[in-house]
Amino acid sequence: YSEHLFAQAVQILPVYALTGNIILAYNLLFLSTFVLSGLGMFLFVREMTGSARAGLVAGLMYGLAPYRVPQFSHLQVISSQWIPFVLYGLRRYFVTRRITPLAGAGAALIAQNLSNGHFLLFFAPFVLAYAIFEIATRRLWADARVWLALSATAVIVTAVTLPFLLPYLELRRLGFGPR
């Protein structure tokens, strides 16, 4: 039942391929969780409020949140940096109705799903709730193009994520209890 850290490995692969230095790669990956968390939250809050100051405060608070400190030895737990990028991409999609931000949201959700199994389970309902919030706020219940785009994104995210979940389901089938 260990985390596979696939997303983290893909994220840091270029650094490791160039340097061959696993310690440098790990340290940069560790630090990137803070930088990317802060950047993602800055972008999302600035988008929601129109205020760069609010975005900066939110980015600092999310990127440097105290809950991260006791989890320093658990890279998968501090790898929550993709969460605000998912929300930012969804927000940009609903504002512009362009597919590019929705594809970015889908890619960020895949990265988050493959970064931490707990966040995969706990964050998915919030993604759905946020999409429904945007649909309700903008009165898009009858817009077939929006539903089609969101459904296609959900299918792609599920198709990429599911192969990583199957080994865990197989362990359950073989009698290994849940953790």
Side-chain angles (χ1 to χ4, degrees):
Y1 286 125
S2 286
E3 297 279 354
H4 48 71
L5 302 175
F6 185 81
Q8 289 88 339
V10 171
Q11 181 184 345
I12 205 61
L13 181 62
V15 172
Y16 183 70
L18 286 172
T19 66
N21 186 335
I22 193 71
I23 295 172
L24 173 66
Y26 179 86
N27 287 335
L28 287 177
L29 183 63
F30 178 84
L31 293 173
S32 77
T33 67
F34 296 93
V35 174
L36 290 172
S37 290
L39 175 63
M41 191 56 74
F42 166 80
L43 292 170
F44 177 59
V45 170
R46 185 187 65 180
E47 178 69 28
M48 291 293 289
T49 65
S51 169
R53 285 185 183 153
L56 179 63
V57 170
L60 288 171
M61 290 176 69
Y62 185 73
L64 302 173
Y67 90 91
R68 297 169 64 97
V69 174
Q71 301 300 331
F72 280 177
S73 63
H74 303 280
L75 186 60
Q76 72 276 13
V77 177
I78 64 170
S79 292
S80 61
Q81 67 267 25
W82 305 115
I83 290 173
F85 285 104
V86 173
L87 299 174
Y88 175 66
L90 283 173
R91 174 68 177 196
R92 292 300 306 147
Y93 168 71
F94 282 107
V95 168
T96 67
R97 304 277 167 58
R98 291 180 33 233
I99 294 299
T100 305
L102 184 58
L109 185 54
I110 289 168
Q112 190 58 64
N113 288 348
L114 300 183
S115 291
N116 182 294
H118 288 94
F119 291 154
L120 182 153
L121 295 174
F122 298 141
F123 183 54
F126 289 98
V127 174
L128 178 61
Y130 181 72
I132 290 171
F133 164 78
E134 287 285 355
I135 288 168
T137 301
R138 298 169 191 284
R139 300 175 187 211
L140 297 172
W141 296 110
D143 191 330
R145 290 180 61 204
V146 168
W147 286 104
L148 181 62
L150 290 173
S151 297
T153 303
V155 166
I156 292 167
V157 168
T158 302
V160 174
T161 303
L162 189 60
F164 290 88
L165 297 179
L166 294 176
Y168 299 106
L169 295 174
E170 180 64 12
L171 285 175
R172 293 294 301 275
R173 190 188 71 72
L174 294 173
F176 288 82
R179 287 182 62 190

